[in-house]
Amino acid sequence: GTYSLNASSTVLNVLTQQAGTLSLGSSQLTLAGSGTPLNQVGGTLSALSATTTYSGSAATNIAATSYGKLEIAGAGTKTLTASTTATGDLMITSDSILDNNGSTMNIGGNLTNGGTLSATGATVNFNGGGSQFINGVTSFGNVTINNTVGNVTSTGATTLAGNLVVGSGSRYGISSGAFTVGGTTSMAGVLTTYGSAIFTGAVSTTGAYNQGSTVNFASTFEKSLAAPFNSSATATFSGSAAQRLPVGVTLGGLIVNKSAETLTLGGDATS
């Protein structure tokens, strides 16, 4: 059967769900216990537009389920136990820590990071059905953009220790601050950087890259013939790998600073 939460509620220790559907409606559910405060033995959590808050003061495991809005609060580190979804916003409050623990975090709304997101080796997937914003200076492991309806925008400096994938039909922009990708970058959609950008790993694009400030490509760069590369600033090609400047590229400036190998022009280039 279905069991409905008719008002905002706080569970001080452990909420155990044996079976059925627990519907939160629009009520807020606060899990104030530490350890494993939501124990889903069976059944389904129907969160819809509701907010589920983990606020334990010690180490806390987050149940691997689908939430509406998910809030991380309290002093204890909150840790994903497996792939987890927030169909709405994910909020990390001041002095709080979310450890992705190698698991994928799917976000359908905005990410507001006022605390710490520990996502090394994990993937954060933005897959909403409208505009999404990433608020706060944020470090990620891997990031995947799978939103074909609205723009996904980082509003502050952003660092990826791992890989970036911008899916076909998706649009990702960094509106302010530096942007660094430590792994590979694959663009089937559109990527726009307004601040300085550094791509440490290989870059391949069949989509479009719009460059508003300086960019450094430290490894290989491959662009399909039809993929736009729009730049009003200086691009630096560095590192020890062989690189190729594709045909049909217009740059605000070009710097070649390679310790080995060469940069080859694939065709006409304007700088």
Side-chain angles (χ1 to χ4, degrees):
T2 298
Y3 306 87
S4 299
L5 196 66
N6 294 321
S8 295
S9 303
T10 299
V11 178
L12 297 178
N13 292 307
V14 179
L15 171 62
T16 299
Q17 183 179 9
Q18 297 282 0
T21 299
L22 174 59
S23 175
L24 302 187
S26 59
S27 301
Q28 179 168 357
L29 173 63
T30 300
L31 301 167
S34 301
T36 305
L38 176 57
N39 179 25
Q40 283 190 298
V41 178
T44 302
L45 177 68
S46 177
L48 299 177
S49 60
T51 299
T52 302
T53 300
Y54 283 84
S55 63
S57 59
T60 303
N61 296 320
I62 296 176
T65 188
S66 181
Y67 301 89
K69 298 177 182 178
L70 179 61
E71 181 180 36
I72 306 301
T77 297
K78 311 304 186 293
T79 302
L80 299 186
T81 56
S83 180
T84 302
T85 295
T87 59
D89 298 339
L90 171 62
M91 300 156 285
I92 306 172
T93 65
S94 176
D95 299 326
S96 298
I97 299 172
L98 173 60
D99 184 355
N100 278 34
N101 192 33
S103 299
T104 297
M105 183 74 220
N106 301 298
I107 303 174
N110 301 325
L111 166 61
T112 299
N113 181 29
T116 301
L117 174 63
S118 177
T120 301
T123 297
V124 180
N125 178 35
F126 293 91
N127 62 350
S131 296
Q132 294 181 264
F133 291 92
I134 304 170
N135 301 309
V137 178
T138 302
S139 296
F140 295 98
N142 307 310
V143 169
T144 300
I145 308 296
N146 276 320
N147 182 338
T148 61
V149 178
N151 296 328
V152 180
T153 304
S154 288
T155 62
T158 303
T159 299
L160 278 63
N163 305 324
L164 170 66
V165 177
V166 183
S168 178
S170 300
R171 297 173 298 280
Y172 179 39
I174 298 85
S175 65
S176 176
F179 181 62
T180 302
V181 181
T184 62
T185 299
S186 175
M187 289 179 271
V190 179
L191 173 66
T192 302
T193 57
Y194 293 95
S196 61
I198 299 174
F199 296 94
T200 304
V203 176
S204 62
T205 174
T206 57
Y209 177 46
N210 302 311
Q211 173 198 350
S213 187
T214 58
V215 61
N216 188 342
F217 297 102
S219 186
T220 56
F221 180 89
E222 293 293 335
K223 180 185 83 69
S224 69
L225 184 62
F229 186 155
N230 304 307
S231 173
S232 59
T234 299
T236 298
F237 288 81
S238 62
S240 58
Q243 294 173 303
R244 181 177 179 272
L245 187 61
V247 65
V249 172
T250 299
L251 303 173
L254 173 63
I255 297 175
V256 180
N257 183 23
K258 300 186 63 58
S259 60
E261 291 293 345
T262 59
L263 172 66
T264 302
L265 295 181
D268 293 338
T270 302
S271 174

